[in-house]
Each structure stands twice: as structure tokens, then as C-alpha cells.
Amino acid sequence: MAATKFALVTGAGTGVGKSVATALVRNGWDTIFTGRTLGRLEEAAEAANGLGGGRALAVACDVSRPEQVERLFERIGDEFGRLDLLFNNAGMSAKAMPIDEIPVETWHDVVDVNLTGSFLCARAAFGMMRRQAPQGGRIINNGSISAYAPRPGSVPYTATKHAITGLTKTLALDGRPFDIACGQVDIGNALTEMAAPMAQGVPQADGSVKVEAVMDVEHVANAVVHMASLPLEANILFMNVMATKMPFVGRG
């Protein structure tokens, strides 16, 4: 019988995070669902536990707070004793507007969650993976189509997603001596609460507003499970999973 694998998914109460965490449980991973809202996490974990396979556990954590991330990883050590996968997924966007109209507080809010939160979780996961026996593990960062091409008025979100690409590349390099693999999934128009406006019409680079094609979020979950299931000698550094007809290629 294969050894149990242990995973942590951030932002797991809704959307991509919930779908990925559920898919991991379904595929036999014991998985911690984490996010800021415990009620949503408990509902998601309870539903996942009904699928068989692995075990789901809900633990509340604001990933932008170092002390909360530290407590989260202490809990992982107590519950699992090791960590084989971190899916760094927690993120937020902001209302589209020109940079001179963006409140500094909005910039800090987005950076704190999208970038600092990913750094804090990757930092803790890397340390655990480096010191556990057997050594190693995998970190998958949720980038975005916006890690390559911005939408109009998206300075905070786009800047953080470009930064996530740098985090991914550096972790992939620094993890080599410790059998820690790092990759990034760049998602385009998965139908979640965050992407719901796509089906109503969103601003385009030419100033028009158009409805965009979307895809089922389960395709993203399946892609992440595939990345996670590779042996540590193999890595998908970047995977782009997008609605086929969305205006990404040729955007702008």
C-alpha cells in the first residue's frame, strides 16, 4: 500500500482552492484546508471527507500574518509529522482603476495576501520539507494569466502575479539540493466567484467590454493533482490552464 501523502492548500474555502483541495482528498492525499473563514473551510472539508480517499482537515489561518502561519505549520507538524505538498493559492484582486486612483491601502492589502502570504507559506513549507525524513516535497504556486499579460487597471494584482513567477523560479533553483520541486499553474478564466464577471462582460485592452469564455474549475483541480502526483525527480515548472477561447493569446 502506498504511503499517505500530506498536503496544505491555502484559500481552500472557495473557488480554485476548494476544488484543488477536494480533488487531492479524492485522490488519497490527507489535506489541510486553510483560509480566513473557518465555517467555509469546515463545510468544504466535511464534503471532501465524504468522498473517500484521503482525510480533510479545516484550519483557519490568515496567510498574511506571520504568527498565524507559524501556528499553522506547528499544527501540520502535530497532525501529519511532515508535508509533501503546498498549493500556494490564497489570493485577492481589487477593483480595476488607473494607478493614480488606487489607494495605498489597497496596494498593501493585495500584496500582503498574494505575495507576502505566498512567501510566508513557502518559507515555512521549505523549512519543513528540508528537515523532514525522507527529505523533500513540492510547492505549487498559483500564478495567473496575469503573470504574463495584464488586464486594464490591475496594477496590484498583476504586479504580485509577476512576482510569484520570480518566487517560483527561485524556489525551483534553491530546492534542488533538498529534493524540493517548485512549479506554477497559471489559470485563465476558471469559473469561480472571482471570475464570474467574465461571463457578464469585462474591459478589454482596446477599451471595449466583452463577455469572455470560461471553463469548469475542475479542469484546474485535475491539472494541479497531475503536477502534485509526479515523482520528485520530475517537475512541471509552468503550466497554463485556460479557457480555450479566452482572449489571452493576442491580448492587447
Side-chain angles (χ1 to χ4, degrees):
M1 184 176 178
T4 301
K5 295 285 190 178
F6 302 102
L8 168 66
V9 177
T10 68
T14 60
V16 169
K18 178 181 177 181
S19 294
V20 169
T22 301
L24 287 166
V25 172
R26 190 165 53 239
N27 282 271
W29 292 73
D30 281 6
T31 304
I32 287 184
F33 291 53
T34 198
R36 287 187 285 197
T37 307
L38 184 59
R40 285 182 178 177
L41 297 168
E42 289 176 335
E43 289 177 7
E46 183 179 357
N49 276 323
L51 300 176
R55 177 169 62 104
L57 179 65
V59 180
C61 176
D62 181 343
V63 298
S64 70
R65 304 288 297 274
E67 68 281 3
Q68 292 193 30
V69 172
E70 183 176 345
R71 288 198 297 269
L72 171 64
F73 277 81
E74 289 174 355
R75 179 76 181 275
I76 292 170
D78 293 340
E79 290 286 339
F80 295 159
R82 64 177 288 112
L83 184 68
D84 299 290
L85 172 68
L86 164 65
F87 181 42
N88 242 339
N89 167 74
M92 64 175 291
S93 60
K95 182 181 178 181
M97 62 184 75
I99 188 170
D100 58 308
E101 297 178 13
I102 297 171
V104 174
E105 294 78 10
T106 298
W107 167 265
H108 284 301
D109 288 344
V110 176
V111 171
D112 284 351
V113 175
N114 294 8
L115 185 55
T116 302
S118 293
F119 162 77
L120 291 172
C121 290
R123 176 177 180 269
F126 195 100
M128 180 173 284
M129 292 171 179
R130 181 179 175 185
R131 293 170 179 82
Q132 64 195 11
Q135 189 181 63
R138 189 179 305 273
I139 297 170
I140 300 175
N141 293 321
N142 186 344
S144 171
I145 295 294
S146 292
Y148 302 90
R151 289 187 177 279
S154 64
V155 165
Y157 186 79
T158 298
T160 58
K161 292 305 183 179
H162 275 66
I164 290 295
T165 297
L167 177 65
T168 297
K169 291 178 179 180
T170 308
L171 291 176
L173 175 62
D174 292 350
R176 289 176 185 174
F178 312 110
D179 285 331
I180 300 172
C182 184
Q184 180 169 315
V185 59
D186 295 312
I187 303 164
N189 289 13
L191 188 53
T192 64
E193 295 90 338
M194 184 180 290
M198 307 299 175
Q200 307 299 320
V202 290
Q204 305 295 308
D206 63 3
S208 64
V209 175
K210 295 180 180 177
V211 172
E212 293 191 8
V214 295
M215 65 177 176
D216 193 320
V217 70
E218 284 301 306
H219 301 310
V220 178
N222 293 337
V224 174
V225 169
H226 172 63
M227 296 172 73
S229 299
L230 291 173
L232 291 178
E233 67 184 15
N235 185 38
I236 296 174
L237 184 61
F238 294 99
M239 178 187 284
N240 183 332
V241 184
M242 56 180 274
T244 302
K245 296 182 180 181
M246 72 168 289
F248 169 55
V249 178
R251 182 188 289 185

